[in-house]
Amino acid sequence: MTHAPQHTIEVVAHRGASEDAPEHTLAAYMKAIEDGADALECDVRLTADGHLVCVHDRRVNRVSNGRGAVSALELADLAALDFGTWKGREESNESPDRGDPALTSVLTLERLLELVADAGRPVGLAIETKHPTRWAGQVEERLLQLLKRFGLTDPRPGSPSPVRIMSFSARSLHRVAAAAPAIPTVYLMQFVTPRVRDGRLPAGSRIAGPSIRIVRNHPAYIARLRRAGHHVHVWTVDEPEDVELCARLGVEAIITNRPKQVLSQLGRF
């Protein structure tokens, strides 16, 4: 059991409480809020008719009963698909009632923002732009337009931003930083490349987002990032020993499929 760290580690629900409910569905995010997650993580892609939807893969084949690329489908096409029954009911005993199709249909980012606004407590949002994409530049443009509508592009002075934008694409983060400098940006990393080995991040990136594999294999690199003045948000952290490691290294955020269990291990549940 991990002892409570000296600082509060933010627990971010990866695609919602995605161990208990189908990823990126309203059910998963409702469960994450109910479980006490500090923030929700989502991936966004642009549909053929210009809507931002929460889908991880380029194609919908894995997580729905349909086929095809998100970018080639319109929102109405996606709304006709089932994004929930692929995940066995035995895995979802604690999830909200999945008899309501709205809980497991395709989720737009707009609807997720509405859920966060109505949560009754502060809930952050970590939004990942997926790349490469046929809509180069348009994803960020539409994303910032939507965040502006919800008043999320200019946080109040002295208050932390409730939203951050993450990407493996330095170009995407540079676009965001140039257009909305008040929004924190997270540079996601699967490997420690020569470009970032010394602890520096690409221009426009303010927070380091290493994988848990990097943290396990290169703990000294996390210290190097922190010495360079960067906060560290680690993905995807599900195992107790990995939570323990992240707490010991002093990371600021853990992104996990199991927010309830991680909160409990950190002594916050």
Side-chain angles (χ1 to χ4, degrees), residues 31 55 59 63 100 107 121 139 148 173 239-240 252:
K31 181 69 168 63
V55 180
R59 300 176 66 83
V63 293
D100 181 354
L107 182 65
R121 65 175 177 86
V139 172
K148 185 174 183 179
L173 297 180
E239 300 305 323
E252 281 72 24

PDB file of all heavy atoms in Angstrom, residues 31 55 59 63 100 107 121 139 148 173 239-240 252:
ATOM      1  N   LYS A  31     -18.812   7.150 -14.595  1.00  0.00           N
ATOM      2  CA  LYS A  31     -18.225   6.289 -13.566  1.00  0.00           C
ATOM      3  C   LYS A  31     -16.956   6.924 -12.989  1.00  0.00           C
ATOM      4  O   LYS A  31     -16.715   6.881 -11.772  1.00  0.00           O
ATOM      5  CB  LYS A  31     -17.897   4.917 -14.157  1.00  0.00           C
ATOM      6  CG  LYS A  31     -17.307   3.915 -13.157  1.00  0.00           C
ATOM      7  CD  LYS A  31     -18.334   3.490 -12.124  1.00  0.00           C
ATOM      8  CE  LYS A  31     -17.904   2.284 -11.291  1.00  0.00           C
ATOM      9  NZ  LYS A  31     -16.721   2.481 -10.473  1.00  0.00           N
ATOM     10  N   VAL A  55     -12.806   9.215 -29.787  1.00  0.00           N
ATOM     11  CA  VAL A  55     -12.487   7.875 -30.295  1.00  0.00           C
ATOM     12  C   VAL A  55     -10.971   7.782 -30.382  1.00  0.00           C
ATOM     13  O   VAL A  55     -10.319   8.679 -30.937  1.00  0.00           O
ATOM     14  CB  VAL A  55     -13.107   7.623 -31.689  1.00  0.00           C
ATOM     15  CG1 VAL A  55     -12.760   6.222 -32.179  1.00  0.00           C
ATOM     16  CG2 VAL A  55     -14.618   7.821 -31.667  1.00  0.00           C
ATOM     17  N   ARG A  59      -9.770   3.982 -36.925  1.00  0.00           N
ATOM     18  CA  ARG A  59     -10.975   3.312 -37.418  1.00  0.00           C
ATOM     19  C   ARG A  59     -11.846   2.888 -36.231  1.00  0.00           C
ATOM     20  O   ARG A  59     -11.340   2.693 -35.125  1.00  0.00           O
ATOM     21  CB  ARG A  59     -10.594   2.088 -38.263  1.00  0.00           C
ATOM     22  CG  ARG A  59      -9.743   2.443 -39.485  1.00  0.00           C
ATOM     23  CD  ARG A  59      -9.314   1.196 -40.241  1.00  0.00           C
ATOM     24  NE  ARG A  59     -10.452   0.500 -40.839  1.00  0.00           N
ATOM     25  CZ  ARG A  59     -11.000   0.827 -42.002  1.00  0.00           C
ATOM     26  NH1 ARG A  59     -10.510   1.830 -42.723  1.00  0.00           N
ATOM     27  NH2 ARG A  59     -12.017   0.147 -42.473  1.00  0.00           N
ATOM     28  N   VAL A  63     -13.888  -0.822 -31.454  1.00  0.00           N
ATOM     29  CA  VAL A  63     -14.744  -0.419 -30.331  1.00  0.00           C
ATOM     30  C   VAL A  63     -16.213  -0.224 -30.703  1.00  0.00           C
ATOM     31  O   VAL A  63     -16.976   0.324 -29.910  1.00  0.00           O
ATOM     32  CB  VAL A  63     -14.204   0.870 -29.675  1.00  0.00           C
ATOM     33  CG1 VAL A  63     -12.881   0.611 -28.992  1.00  0.00           C
ATOM     34  CG2 VAL A  63     -14.090   2.000 -30.689  1.00  0.00           C
ATOM     35  N   ASP A 100     -29.329   2.116 -21.360  1.00  0.00           N
ATOM     36  CA  ASP A 100     -29.596   3.392 -22.018  1.00  0.00           C
ATOM     37  C   ASP A 100     -28.591   3.564 -23.154  1.00  0.00           C
ATOM     38  O   ASP A 100     -27.399   3.726 -22.906  1.00  0.00           O
ATOM     39  CB  ASP A 100     -29.464   4.516 -20.994  1.00  0.00           C
ATOM     40  CG  ASP A 100     -29.754   5.883 -21.590  1.00  0.00           C
ATOM     41  OD1 ASP A 100     -29.949   5.971 -22.810  1.00  0.00           O
ATOM     42  OD2 ASP A 100     -29.777   6.859 -20.820  1.00  0.00           O
ATOM     43  N   LEU A 107     -19.497   9.454 -28.380  1.00  0.00           N
ATOM     44  CA  LEU A 107     -19.510  10.617 -27.508  1.00  0.00           C
ATOM     45  C   LEU A 107     -18.814  11.779 -28.199  1.00  0.00           C
ATOM     46  O   LEU A 107     -17.651  11.671 -28.601  1.00  0.00           O
ATOM     47  CB  LEU A 107     -18.797  10.292 -26.195  1.00  0.00           C
ATOM     48  CG  LEU A 107     -18.751  11.388 -25.138  1.00  0.00           C
ATOM     49  CD1 LEU A 107     -20.157  11.721 -24.634  1.00  0.00           C
ATOM     50  CD2 LEU A 107     -17.843  10.980 -23.984  1.00  0.00           C
ATOM     51  N   ARG A 121     -18.605  19.489  -9.080  1.00  0.00           N
ATOM     52  CA  ARG A 121     -17.304  19.700  -8.445  1.00  0.00           C
ATOM     53  C   ARG A 121     -16.289  19.936  -9.554  1.00  0.00           C
ATOM     54  O   ARG A 121     -16.539  19.600 -10.731  1.00  0.00           O
ATOM     55  CB  ARG A 121     -16.892  18.489  -7.609  1.00  0.00           C
ATOM     56  CG  ARG A 121     -16.653  17.211  -8.412  1.00  0.00           C
ATOM     57  CD  ARG A 121     -16.120  16.095  -7.531  1.00  0.00           C
ATOM     58  NE  ARG A 121     -15.936  14.833  -8.234  1.00  0.00           N
ATOM     59  CZ  ARG A 121     -14.844  14.502  -8.916  1.00  0.00           C
ATOM     60  NH1 ARG A 121     -13.829  15.345  -9.015  1.00  0.00           N
ATOM     61  NH2 ARG A 121     -14.764  13.315  -9.526  1.00  0.00           N
ATOM     62  N   VAL A 139      -8.131  20.015 -36.652  1.00  0.00           N
ATOM     63  CA  VAL A 139      -8.481  19.442 -35.350  1.00  0.00           C
ATOM     64  C   VAL A 139      -8.231  20.470 -34.250  1.00  0.00           C
ATOM     65  O   VAL A 139      -9.101  20.739 -33.411  1.00  0.00           O
ATOM     66  CB  VAL A 139      -7.680  18.156 -35.086  1.00  0.00           C
ATOM     67  CG1 VAL A 139      -7.897  17.683 -33.650  1.00  0.00           C
ATOM     68  CG2 VAL A 139      -8.080  17.062 -36.056  1.00  0.00           C
ATOM     69  N   LYS A 148     -13.341  27.587 -26.433  1.00  0.00           N
ATOM     70  CA  LYS A 148     -13.674  29.000 -26.234  1.00  0.00           C
ATOM     71  C   LYS A 148     -15.150  29.174 -25.929  1.00  0.00           C
ATOM     72  O   LYS A 148     -15.533  29.989 -25.074  1.00  0.00           O
ATOM     73  CB  LYS A 148     -13.275  29.808 -27.475  1.00  0.00           C
ATOM     74  CG  LYS A 148     -13.468  31.309 -27.301  1.00  0.00           C
ATOM     75  CD  LYS A 148     -12.922  32.072 -28.494  1.00  0.00           C
ATOM     76  CE  LYS A 148     -13.064  33.581 -28.262  1.00  0.00           C
ATOM     77  NZ  LYS A 148     -12.513  34.352 -29.403  1.00  0.00           N
ATOM     78  N   LEU A 173       1.025  20.607 -30.742  1.00  0.00           N
ATOM     79  CA  LEU A 173       1.140  21.404 -29.526  1.00  0.00           C
ATOM     80  C   LEU A 173       1.630  22.814 -29.828  1.00  0.00           C
ATOM     81  O   LEU A 173       1.227  23.780 -29.163  1.00  0.00           O
ATOM     82  CB  LEU A 173       2.069  20.717 -28.541  1.00  0.00           C
ATOM     83  CG  LEU A 173       1.596  19.342 -28.049  1.00  0.00           C
ATOM     84  CD1 LEU A 173       2.600  18.758 -27.069  1.00  0.00           C
ATOM     85  CD2 LEU A 173       0.219  19.419 -27.411  1.00  0.00           C
ATOM     86  N   GLU A 239      -0.913  -0.664 -12.530  1.00  0.00           N
ATOM     87  CA  GLU A 239      -0.428  -1.647 -11.560  1.00  0.00           C
ATOM     88  C   GLU A 239       0.032  -0.962 -10.275  1.00  0.00           C
ATOM     89  O   GLU A 239       0.669   0.099 -10.321  1.00  0.00           O
ATOM     90  CB  GLU A 239       0.709  -2.461 -12.152  1.00  0.00           C
ATOM     91  CG  GLU A 239       0.324  -3.233 -13.410  1.00  0.00           C
ATOM     92  CD  GLU A 239      -0.882  -4.141 -13.197  1.00  0.00           C
ATOM     93  OE1 GLU A 239      -0.992  -4.735 -12.091  1.00  0.00           O
ATOM     94  OE2 GLU A 239      -1.710  -4.253 -14.118  1.00  0.00           O
ATOM     95  N   PRO A 240      -0.268  -1.572  -9.120  1.00  0.00           N
ATOM     96  CA  PRO A 240       0.110  -0.957  -7.836  1.00  0.00           C
ATOM     97  C   PRO A 240       1.593  -0.605  -7.740  1.00  0.00           C
ATOM     98  O   PRO A 240       1.950   0.453  -7.204  1.00  0.00           O
ATOM     99  CB  PRO A 240      -0.283  -2.022  -6.815  1.00  0.00           C
ATOM    100  CG  PRO A 240      -1.407  -2.770  -7.467  1.00  0.00           C
ATOM    101  CD  PRO A 240      -1.065  -2.806  -8.928  1.00  0.00           C
ATOM    102  N   GLU A 252       3.498  14.604 -11.079  1.00  0.00           N
ATOM    103  CA  GLU A 252       2.343  15.431 -10.744  1.00  0.00           C
ATOM    104  C   GLU A 252       1.020  14.787 -11.104  1.00  0.00           C
ATOM    105  O   GLU A 252      -0.015  15.111 -10.498  1.00  0.00           O
ATOM    106  CB  GLU A 252       2.446  16.798 -11.441  1.00  0.00           C
ATOM    107  CG  GLU A 252       3.383  17.777 -10.782  1.00  0.00           C
ATOM    108  CD  GLU A 252       4.858  17.430 -10.951  1.00  0.00           C
ATOM    109  OE1 GLU A 252       5.219  16.727 -11.918  1.00  0.00           O
ATOM    110  OE2 GLU A 252       5.660  17.868 -10.104  1.00  0.00           O
TER     111      GLU A 252
END
